Amino acid sequence: MSSVTTQLEPDVLKTRIERFRQVHTDIVQQVRRVIVGQEEVLEQVLIALFVGGHCLITGLPGTAKTLLVRTLGQALGLVFKRIQFTPDLMPSDITGTDIIEEDPTTGRRTWTFVPGPIFGNILLADEINRTPPKTQSALLEAMQERSCTVRGNQYALPQPFFVLATQNPIELEGTYPLPEAQLDRFLFNTVLDYLSADEELKVVDLTTVTTIPQAESVTNAEEVLDFQQLVRMVPIGESVARHAVDMVRVTRSRDESAPDFVQKYVNYGASVRAAQFLVLAAKARALMRGRYHVTYEDVRSLYIPVLRHRILLNFHAESDRLKQDDILKKVLEWRGAPRD
């Protein structure tokens, strides 16, 4: 695919880039009618969408996680589905199931597949860590393969398919932590924090009146798929790509380039998938910022949300009360951006 897309006429490419920027501006404008603040979170969710990745949103209750995803679905003109994960949720509750239907005229019985909520474009997996591993794994196949299997039959999911999963960081009782293999499939682990006092006041003003603002659709599924191809065509210099790979490699404690603090505190570093996602996310960010080339700053600004869920810390880090973000910030300070 890439060999064909890179040979586009300059005028065609220019038109596509201009349309991308226009749609990006319109999406942000529509979402801003409903969502106050959270610029960084919105940027990361849009990057994940334009890359074709999935996003894990970690935030406290009442920080508008669900509202953000629903509003985004409206602005993108995509089919939005929501699953509330609970301990008794079964895999078939997500994927759908086969039922026996009887033809009233002939009396013949046939199996009919009834699609589950996974058959949408944007799937909000609310409180994903509340459901047992068996149900989590049904979502894992959908995220990786863009399909699901029911009674041996494989069903393709609609395109684009985009999972936004939320987890609540404060209630650990009755939760099932996501396995590393599933965490690794998320492009970002985005942290939703509290708003500032002014922003909170604006939220209260917006939501305690009779009219609730709604986002309007500014694009469609076909165009989103086209944008995902466009992002992959953004060129990246070898030195910038090498910097992204090096920044991932230094998180592995057994790597010879790893600094002392990584060797002391990190059990397992980030995988090759982290480097792939870091470069793809940097390409999307460059395009969203009005550039058609990737800079060191694109890579470094997305480094923490791409890697925070991919490194496992040891008991030394726990005893020194260090979190993944602390280690990654130290890595960024330790290895500065090369001079252009």
Side-chain angles (χ1 to χ4, degrees):
M1 188 73 187
S2 59
S3 59
V4 178
T5 49
T6 46
Q7 291 168 9
L8 282 176
E9 290 294 318
D11 290 348
V12 176
L13 193 59
K14 194 179 171 195
T15 308
R16 282 174 69 179
I17 293 167
E18 279 169 7
R19 177 62 187 155
F20 175 91
R21 286 173 190 158
Q22 182 58 55
V23 169
H24 172 245
T25 307
D26 291 348
I27 292 168
V28 173
Q29 203 176 347
Q30 289 300 322
V31 172
R32 283 276 155 261
R33 291 170 62 177
V34 183
I35 301 291
V36 176
Q38 310 290 14
E39 276 85 7
E40 213 174 75
V41 176
L42 178 59
E43 182 184 62
Q44 286 169 20
V45 171
L46 282 173
I47 287 172
L49 177 88
F50 291 138
V51 164
H54 309 289
C55 202
L56 181 65
I57 303 176
T58 305
L60 297 160
T63 46
K65 298 188 291 287
T66 309
L67 184 63
L68 171 66
V69 181
R70 185 183 291 121
T71 306
L72 204 57
Q74 288 168 348
L76 291 160
L78 299 177
V79 178
F80 168 77
K81 297 284 178 82
R82 178 177 182 269
I83 304 172
Q84 182 66 50
F85 281 76
T86 55
D88 59 351
L89 197 75
M90 298 297 289
S92 59
D93 296 330
I94 297 176
T95 59
T97 188
D98 281 323
I99 59 166
I100 295 177
E101 278 195 332
E102 190 175 307
D103 189 323
T105 51
T106 61
R108 260 190 82 211
R109 291 182 175 185
T110 51
W111 285 101
T112 307
F113 178 64
V114 180
I118 208 167
F119 286 85
N121 298 120
I122 295 186
L123 177 71
L124 174 62
D126 230 344
E127 297 194 276
I128 191 172
N129 55 341
R130 291 218 166 279
T131 202
K134 187 178 180 182
T135 307
Q136 287 176 0
S137 66
L139 191 62
L140 181 73
E141 183 197 354
M143 286 167 65
Q144 187 64 22
E145 310 297 335
R146 301 290 200 273
S147 65
C148 70
T149 307
V150 178
R151 285 184 64 250
N153 296 317
Q154 201 171 32
Y155 299 94
L157 296 173
Q159 294 295 338
F161 177 68
F162 177 54
V163 174
L164 274 161
T166 69
Q167 59 179 10
N168 183 339
I170 52 171
E171 293 173 38
L172 294 175
E173 254 183 66
T175 60
Y176 304 84
L178 288 171
E180 277 63 47
Q182 186 146 351
L183 277 174
D184 201 37
R185 278 163 174 78
F186 286 102
L187 169 60
F188 288 126
N189 181 358
T190 302
V191 175
L192 251 170
D193 216 341
Y194 288 123
L195 298 170
S196 67
D198 289 344
E199 287 171 338
E200 214 158 314
L201 184 63
K202 198 174 169 189
V203 169
V204 172
D205 287 344
L206 267 176
T207 55
T208 55
V209 289
T210 50
T211 54
I212 303 292
Q214 293 280 329
E216 289 167 17
S217 171
V218 295
T219 183
N220 56 45
E222 278 110 336
E223 205 166 43
V224 171
L225 290 170
D226 182 63
F227 293 154
Q228 290 178 357
Q229 282 299 320
L230 187 64
V231 163
R232 287 173 178 269
M233 289 160 57
V234 174
I236 179 168
E238 193 188 333
S239 59
V240 181
R242 189 171 291 282
H243 181 63
V245 170
D246 288 346
M247 292 296 282
V248 170
R249 290 182 70 85
V250 296
T251 63
R252 301 169 192 159
S253 52
R254 291 180 203 154
D255 196 279
E256 58 204 28
S257 61
D260 297 345
F261 59 88
V262 166
Q263 291 175 13
K264 182 180 177 184
Y265 293 123
V266 178
N267 246 354
Y268 295 100
S271 68
V272 179
R273 194 184 270 136
Q276 292 171 316
F277 279 158
L278 188 55
V279 167
L280 273 173
K283 286 183 172 194
R285 185 182 187 268
L287 214 50
M288 284 161 64
R289 296 287 167 110
R291 282 179 280 105
Y292 195 60
H293 65 279
V294 180
T295 64
Y296 292 115
E297 200 242 332
D298 291 323
V299 170
R300 294 174 71 82
S301 67
L302 299 172
Y303 182 66
I304 293 175
V306 170
L307 270 85
R308 63 160 60 102
H309 53 300
R310 300 177 199 276
I311 61 170
L312 280 177
L313 305 184
N314 58 26
F315 65 93
H316 292 300
E318 208 173 312
S319 63
D320 288 353
R321 300 198 170 176
L322 289 171
K323 296 267 185 281
Q324 281 89 342
D325 283 29
D326 302 320
I327 303 296
L328 295 170
K329 277 175 193 159
K330 284 181 85 165
V331 171
L332 285 168
E333 287 164 17
W334 172 76
R335 175 160 285 185
R339 297 249 171 96
D340 287 318

